[in-house]
Amino acid sequence: MATQKDVARLAGVSVSTVSRVLNGSGLVDEKTRSTVQSAIKKLNYKPNLLAYSLRARSSRMIGVILPEMQSIHSSFLQYVGESCMKRGYSVLVGMHCNECERERTLIDEFQRRNVDGLILYPAIDEQNVSNDLLEYVTVPIVLYEHSFADNRLGNVSFNNYEAGVTAAKYLLSLGHRNVGCTVGPMGMKYIKDRFWGFHDGLKDMGIEIQKRNIYECDFNYQVSNIVSGEDAVRYFVDGRDRSEVPTAIWAHNDNVAIGIIKELHRRGIRIPQEMSVVGMDNISLTDMIYPPLTTIGQPVPKMAEKAVAMLVKEIESKDGYKAETIVMEPELVIRESAGPAMETFAV
Amino acid sequence: MATQKDVARLAGVSVSTVSRVLNGSGLVDEKTRSTVQSAIKKLNYKPNLLAYSLRARSSRMIGVILPEMQSIHSSFLQYVGESCMKRGYSVLVGMHCNECERERTLIDEFQRRNVDGLILYPAIDEQNVSNDLLEYVTVPIVLYEHSFADNRLGNVSFNNYEAGVTAAKYLLSLGHRNVGCTVGPMGMKYIKDRFWGFHDGLKDMGIEIQKRNIYECDFNYQVSNIVSGEDAVRYFVDGRDRSEVPTAIWAHNDNVAIGIIKELHRRGIRIPQEMSVVGMDNISLTDMIYPPLTTIGQPVPKMAEKAVAMLVKEIESKDGYKAETIVMEPELVIRESAGPAMETFAV
DNA sequence: CTGAAAGCGCTAACAC
DNA sequence: GTGTTAGCGCTTTCAG
């Protein structure tokens, strides 16, 4: 790789002059400019970004840290990547696999690489986000997070409670009265919010969800959400009197819903005629299966764009702008997996 | 962020001494070592990797360039990411969206950031990979590519021809004689290989695939593979005499197969009783739908691991090791979407 | 054993 | 207008 020095030598000028024509900073004679430019072309010189970064204290890199590269995360990364590229930032990516220690290691490492900012989907262990983020993060950061109370950090969040409400209202509007739902570990705020939204949405219309109509998924990284969905069907159907089988189920995420649909198909239970299924998140798979899944969507493209926009604004701001906490509203995506309630469940 | 200088000042030594205790290089007195170490701890000093990289001419970053973050690419990235992390490399990621110009820009940019190596899933436009890769890539590189002839570049490839053969043999072994398949743009070598493998696999057993049983998918980034799959069903079923409808279809990738299954479900055609479907690639979705898709798998985890392993070996080799071209063999993944042939297609 | 000095590739003050 | 110099944070000769 040619260096600035090589160009300078070839053009018979000093390095600072080369730098000047490169950055258009400072005055430079038309003749020398063109000499330099042709030297650049001849040597196919490209400025080294590492050296620039060291000098400028800005690497034009953004670190993106996610739990993994599955379902909603990969599409988030896709959009984040596009937004970053559009703004001239490169993306350093890392996965923490929901282990706080790896998360911390990644944050450290990225900061040591002088990233200009960080986008973090925090690791969730038993409890919620580690609060000491504030202590060791020294660059602008925006979280993609649903339970973080501390608004000193930027946060693109999502109204999980309202999502639950939306699901409940929609099912009710379809005439369902005997509805079921799944939940994940209630220690996580966003899971709790989803559930209570659903609960309250039903209650508002005078329906109290029955305890036996709530399926708690096995929370364990070995068992996938798909399997949890299959298990849920067993739970809701096996050994129940037909009148006790819910006519509709809301799953707390799309993968669970897809598992439910899978098992329903296996049993020959028709969707939505015999049972309606509604998901949560609107991952890309939802439109690939049959029947296309009705779901409550997170506006992922918008959230990704907003996260990058806020982050870059903070990075480039001269006036101390700080990324805010914003919460996005859910959108009901009606497809084909939910329909009007039937009188009874046909076994 | 504390710097080495700060540590040196606090410990009352020179920066070079600090550097020495940090890297364990050179001799240093036990007493000074501990003084320095406690200064490091007190200031919570972490060496700056940018400066290190500039000096060392090695950034311990690997650039990974993919078309996008969908289906097989995201799982490839997942595994590549893990392998890199395991070896102490960070991942710089970029998407070229199958545009050669963006691909080139990314390669350039990553090289200017001094990545130690590159993993590239090349952009595919009308033709195949741009051959001038050799000219402007100056770092070790391994491709994830099925059609690149030039073995001066490292390449983790896949035996697409054999994959086609495997699909054909399996369908034949199930008793199918009237089989269909889909193809993509035949300008791409890997598509052609897949098809001819399938063709020859049938021919070996005396079956000649009929022209009308080959569906050419609309190749257009606007129309998804899912839609192509749905279209394929229309093509194979609508307006045909029942005896002319194939009893099994092999799709040239899993998304097309999933689209086929979607449309088959919509029509109430039972899988595999009335029609068998076999996919290609073994993306993670294949196990999430009903019926779980029988498919010909690319061993993605293995390929990712191998790509990183070869690349790192080349990067770290003193003896001029060059990443090779290796081709991985397909694996038949039997699930539930293909079964024994029926006598006739029941309409 | 340890400090001083040079240099990785670049930019920005400061002279001329 | 342009060259010289210093310095970003680090490592590695080279002296002592």
Side-chain angles (χ1 to χ4, degrees):
Chain A
M1 274 285 183
T3 134
Q4 211 178 69
K5 217 173 188 172
D6 302 326
V7 176
R9 183 154 25 210
L10 180 60
V13 296
S14 73
V15 287
S16 51
T17 304
V18 178
S19 175
R20 276 191 276 264
V21 346
L22 238 47
N23 304 303
S25 60
L27 287 276
V28 38
D29 186 273
E30 204 38 64
K31 207 180 289 176
T32 38
R33 156 170 280 112
S34 70
T35 327
V36 169
Q37 238 135 24
S38 66
I40 287 176
K41 194 162 288 173
K42 190 180 235 162
L43 294 173
N44 190 27
Y45 165 76
K46 305 271 169 56
N48 181 303
L49 291 174
L50 224 50
Y52 167 83
S53 304
L54 184 60
R55 166 82 226 210
R57 292 186 158 57
S58 156
S59 59
R60 293 199 81 80
M61 289 196 300
I62 285 175
V64 180
I65 303 178
L66 304 171
E68 51 172 23
M69 293 298 160
Q70 303 289 316
S71 55
I72 207 169
H73 305 303
S74 64
S75 80
F76 182 66
L77 180 60
Q78 167 103 17
Y79 294 112
V80 164
E82 281 169 17
S83 297
C84 287
M85 176 169 270
K86 211 171 57 190
R87 294 179 167 79
Y89 286 83
S90 297
V91 173
L92 206 51
V93 74
M95 295 170 292
H96 55 57
C97 307
N98 276 307
E99 292 166 27
C100 287
E101 199 187 314
R102 279 176 87 163
E103 173 184 80
R104 171 133 195 186
T105 309
L106 282 165
I107 293 178
D108 257 12
E109 187 196 302
F110 285 5
Q111 293 194 139
R112 292 172 57 197
R113 290 195 185 280
N114 283 21
V115 294
D116 290 346
L118 242 19
I119 291 178
L120 171 66
Y121 193 115
I124 298 174
D125 51 3
E126 321 290 281
Q127 295 307 314
N128 286 319
V129 182
S130 59
N131 265 312
D132 54 353
L133 228 46
L134 276 157
E135 287 171 34
Y136 62 92
V137 172
T138 59
V139 298
I141 184 171
V142 0
L143 307 179
Y144 181 67
E145 224 280 317
H146 308 326
S147 16
F148 200 67
D150 196 320
N151 59 7
R152 281 172 294 174
L153 261 29
N155 193 343
V156 172
S157 179
F158 175 73
N159 194 336
N160 287 287
Y161 182 88
E162 195 56 34
V165 172
T166 306
K169 295 260 149 97
Y170 181 60
L171 254 18
L172 253 23
S173 78
L174 252 23
H176 295 277
R177 291 299 173 262
N178 183 13
V179 301
C181 74
T182 66
V183 294
M186 292 294 260
M188 298 185 195
K189 185 166 176 302
Y190 82 95
I191 299 278
K192 206 158 48 179
D193 287 352
R194 287 179 184 189
F195 171 73
W196 285 107
F198 189 68
H199 175 275
D200 295 354
L202 293 178
K203 198 162 187 180
D204 266 10
M205 307 294 280
I207 310 279
E208 183 79 40
I209 190 166
Q210 297 172 60
K211 188 118 202 234
R212 66 154 189 272
N213 279 352
I214 302 167
Y215 178 73
E216 288 188 50
C217 294
D218 201 351
F219 184 63
N220 176 335
Y221 280 104
Q222 307 315 340
V223 356
S224 77
N225 283 311
I226 299 291
V227 173
S228 292
E230 296 172 306
D231 290 341
V233 172
R234 285 174 208 117
Y235 174 80
F236 285 121
V237 173
D238 288 348
R240 289 203 188 191
D241 188 88
R242 58 157 60 179
S243 67
E244 291 183 336
V245 174
T247 60
I249 301 176
W250 179 56
H252 72 285
N253 71 47
D254 283 333
N255 279 329
V256 171
I258 287 168
I260 290 174
I261 287 182
K262 189 178 171 192
E263 181 63 22
L264 254 19
H265 269 137
R266 171 160 276 129
R267 291 164 178 246
I269 297 175
R270 288 170 304 143
I271 312 161
Q273 293 86 342
E274 294 175 274
M275 187 173 294
S276 289
V277 180
V278 172
M280 174 69 232
D281 286 342
N282 195 27
I283 64 177
S284 60
L285 264 87
T286 51
D287 205 22
M288 301 180 153
I289 61 166
Y290 185 82
L293 187 69
T294 291
T295 190
I296 315 296
Q298 292 194 42
V300 174
K302 232 182 287 175
M303 292 172 83
E305 166 62 24
K306 191 68 190 170
V308 176
M310 286 203 304
L311 187 63
V312 168
K313 188 169 171 198
E314 177 168 341
I315 291 170
E316 296 175 356
S317 106
K318 304 277 159 206
D319 56 2
Y321 166 84
K322 286 273 172 214
E324 311 139 52
T325 290
I326 62 169
V327 0
M328 303 292 231
E329 295 304 318
E331 41 199 32
L332 173 63
V333 183
I334 297 178
R335 288 196 274 247
E336 302 171 31
S337 65
M342 302 227 317
E343 287 308 308
T344 55
F345 174 71
V347 180
Chain B
M1 274 288 183
T3 135
Q4 212 177 69
K5 219 176 189 170
D6 301 326
V7 177
R9 184 152 25 206
L10 180 58
V13 296
S14 72
V15 287
S16 49
T17 304
V18 177
S19 176
R20 277 190 275 264
V21 347
L22 237 48
N23 305 302
S25 61
L27 285 275
V28 38
D29 186 272
E30 202 39 64
K31 207 179 289 176
T32 37
R33 158 169 279 114
S34 70
T35 325
V36 169
Q37 238 136 22
S38 66
I40 288 176
K41 193 160 290 173
K42 190 180 234 160
L43 294 172
N44 190 27
Y45 164 75
K46 305 273 171 54
N48 181 303
L49 291 173
L50 223 51
Y52 166 84
S53 305
L54 183 60
R55 167 79 227 217
R57 294 187 155 56
S58 157
S59 59
R60 291 200 80 80
M61 289 196 300
I62 286 175
V64 180
I65 304 178
L66 305 171
E68 51 173 22
M69 293 297 159
Q70 302 289 316
S71 56
I72 208 168
H73 305 304
S74 64
S75 79
F76 182 66
L77 180 60
Q78 167 104 16
Y79 293 112
V80 164
E82 280 169 17
S83 296
C84 287
M85 176 170 270
K86 209 170 58 190
R87 293 178 167 79
Y89 286 82
S90 296
V91 173
L92 208 51
V93 74
M95 294 169 293
H96 56 57
C97 307
N98 277 306
E99 291 166 27
C100 288
E101 200 187 315
R102 280 177 87 164
E103 174 184 79
R104 169 131 197 189
T105 310
L106 282 166
I107 293 178
D108 257 12
E109 188 195 301
F110 285 5
Q111 293 193 138
R112 292 172 56 199
R113 289 195 187 278
N114 284 22
V115 293
D116 291 345
L118 241 20
I119 290 179
L120 172 65
Y121 193 116
I124 298 173
D125 50 3
E126 323 290 281
Q127 297 305 315
N128 286 320
V129 182
S130 58
N131 266 313
D132 54 352
L133 228 46
L134 276 157
E135 287 170 34
Y136 61 92
V137 173
T138 58
V139 297
I141 183 170
V142 0
L143 307 179
Y144 181 68
E145 224 280 317
H146 308 326
S147 14
F148 199 67
D150 196 321
N151 59 8
R152 282 171 296 174
L153 259 31
N155 193 343
V156 172
S157 179
F158 176 72
N159 194 336
N160 288 287
Y161 181 87
E162 194 55 33
V165 172
T166 306
K169 295 262 149 99
Y170 181 62
L171 255 18
L172 253 24
S173 77
L174 251 22
H176 295 277
R177 291 297 173 265
N178 183 13
V179 301
C181 74
T182 66
V183 295
M186 292 295 259
M188 299 186 195
K189 184 165 177 303
Y190 82 95
I191 298 278
K192 205 157 49 180
D193 287 351
R194 287 178 184 190
F195 171 74
W196 285 108
F198 189 69
H199 175 274
D200 295 353
L202 293 177
K203 197 160 189 184
D204 266 10
M205 306 293 281
I207 310 279
E208 183 80 41
I209 190 166
Q210 297 173 58
K211 189 116 201 236
R212 68 155 188 273
N213 280 352
I214 302 167
Y215 178 73
E216 288 188 49
C217 295
D218 200 351
F219 184 63
N220 176 334
Y221 281 104
Q222 306 317 337
V223 358
S224 77
N225 283 310
I226 298 292
V227 173
S228 293
E230 295 172 306
D231 289 343
V233 172
R234 286 175 206 115
Y235 174 78
F236 285 122
V237 173
D238 289 348
R240 289 204 188 189
D241 187 88
R242 58 158 62 181
S243 67
E244 291 183 335
V245 174
T247 60
I249 300 176
W250 180 56
H252 71 284
N253 71 45
D254 284 334
N255 279 328
V256 171
I258 288 168
I260 289 174
I261 287 183
K262 188 176 170 191
E263 181 64 21
L264 253 21
H265 269 137
R266 170 161 277 127
R267 290 163 178 248
I269 297 175
R270 287 170 305 142
I271 312 160
Q273 293 86 343
E274 294 175 273
M275 186 172 295
S276 288
V277 180
V278 171
M280 174 71 231
D281 286 342
N282 194 27
I283 64 177
S284 60
L285 265 85
T286 52
D287 205 21
M288 300 180 154
I289 60 166
Y290 186 82
L293 186 69
T294 291
T295 189
I296 315 295
Q298 293 194 41
V300 175
K302 233 182 286 177
M303 293 172 83
E305 166 61 25
K306 190 70 190 169
V308 176
M310 286 203 306
L311 186 64
V312 168
K313 187 170 170 196
E314 176 168 343
I315 291 170
E316 296 176 357
S317 104
K318 303 279 156 200
D319 56 3
Y321 166 84
K322 285 272 174 220
E324 312 138 50
T325 289
I326 62 170
V327 1
M328 302 292 230
E329 295 304 319
E331 41 198 32
L332 173 63
V333 182
I334 298 178
R335 288 197 274 246
E336 302 171 28
S337 66
M342 302 229 318
E343 287 309 308
T344 55
F345 175 71
V347 181

